[in-house]
Amino acid sequence: MNRAVKKIGIMGGTFDPIHMGHLILGEKAYEQLGLDKVLFMPCGNPPHKLNRTGRATDAQRSEMVRLAIENNPHFELSLMEMHEEGYTYTYRTLEQLKRQNPDTEYYFIIGADSLYSFDTWREPGRICQAAVLVVATRDHTPVKELDQQMELLSKRYNGIFVRLDTMNIDVSSELLRSWHRSGQSLRYYVPQPVISYIEKNGIYKGNDSDGKI
């Protein structure tokens, strides 16, 4: 008898900080695709970016994710990309997961903005062979245009792209960091345990020292 295939979603990112948009996206993917669970996988910082003013450390970002998802039984924190090198390519992470769990089908969740830069990613074809690409609507991209881009990439890389039916949540971690620095409330945008952690540890008090994330 064949073993039942597990279906696991992956939400990657810096999560600096994690916010309600991330959580809603993970929950909608879980529901729409019938996933067994969703892994929230914060990426590591390269060694030369470990001490960025106004940004959270690797440990702080991981703890904020843990606090945000701790009450959801089908969300799980994965520290797979937290290691000494501080950075890994997506295709390597996915291929490692497939080797470790050959009975599992992975669904890698990305935003529409990432879809349009997918050609520039390292080994996009190998990413497509290791996981289904789940595309969330963002930046008010027209659905027809999004579907055309998904079809184009699907043919180019022999992959499966699925559009996630979810609302456009126009919020970013960069915007939330700037709000916090200026004294604006993060309530209802960030889970309260995460807000408390940010305030207790004095995170995001300095200026961002590099670009948007």
Side-chain angles (χ1 to χ4, degrees):
M1 179 181 293
N2 293 330
R3 290 182 295 174
V5 175
K6 293 180 181 178
K7 298 171 67 175
I8 295 180
I10 298 174
M11 281 280 296
T14 53
F15 302 119
D16 196 9
I18 188 169
H19 55 70
M20 291 302 190
H22 297 129
L23 301 174
I24 291 171
L25 198 54
E27 187 70 8
K28 294 306 293 184
Y30 173 80
E31 290 180 349
Q32 182 178 323
L33 302 172
L35 303 177
D36 292 290
K37 64 181 174 181
V38 178
L39 300 179
F40 281 73
M41 190 179 291
C43 61
N45 283 322
H48 64 285
K49 290 187 176 181
L50 289 179
N51 297 307
R52 295 175 296 170
T53 304
R55 304 294 279 273
T57 65
D58 286 1
Q60 288 172 335
R61 290 188 295 111
S62 299
E63 180 62 11
M64 287 189 283
V65 172
R66 188 193 68 77
L67 289 168
I69 69 174
E70 63 181 350
N71 292 322
N72 190 324
H74 49 259
F75 283 177
E76 183 178 309
L77 171 63
S78 170
L79 299 179
M80 187 171 177
E81 294 197 338
M82 289 288 184
H83 47 70
E84 291 181 359
E85 291 79 12
Y87 184 82
T88 187
Y89 290 109
T90 297
Y91 80 91
R92 290 177 177 167
T93 297
L94 293 174
E95 288 180 348
Q96 182 178 343
L97 284 169
K98 289 293 290 183
R99 286 194 300 270
Q100 293 172 346
N101 306 288
D103 61 335
T104 298
E105 195 171 64
Y106 288 97
Y107 293 75
F108 189 69
I109 304 165
I110 63 174
D113 50 349
S114 296
L115 183 73
Y116 287 95
S117 64
F118 189 68
D119 283 318
T120 68
W121 289 28
R122 182 65 64 93
E123 301 287 354
R126 290 170 70 170
I127 292 173
C128 288
Q129 297 311 303
V132 174
L133 277 294
V134 181
V135 184
T137 54
R138 286 182 63 182
D139 303 329
H140 309 284
T141 306
V143 170
K144 182 178 180 180
E145 182 182 322
L146 196 65
D147 288 344
Q148 289 175 342
Q149 182 68 9
M150 289 167 58
E151 183 178 359
L152 175 69
L153 293 173
S154 177
K155 291 178 179 178
R156 183 173 296 165
Y157 298 113
N158 191 29
I160 299 174
F161 289 77
V162 177
R163 177 165 48 82
L164 193 61
D165 296 323
T166 185
M167 68 184 74
N168 181 30
I169 304 165
D170 195 12
V171 64
S172 69
S173 295
E174 182 193 28
L175 176 64
L176 295 172
R177 292 194 301 268
S178 70
W179 283 3
H180 184 68
R181 285 195 301 274
S182 64
Q184 296 183 64
S185 173
L186 302 184
R187 183 175 293 175
Y188 307 126
Y189 288 89
V190 176
Q192 187 56 51
V194 177
I195 294 175
S196 299
Y197 182 81
I198 290 171
E199 293 175 344
K200 178 181 178 181
N201 291 276
I203 307 172
Y204 309 129
K205 291 302 184 182
N207 293 320
D208 281 348
S209 58
D210 57 8
K212 299 180 180 179
I213 296 180

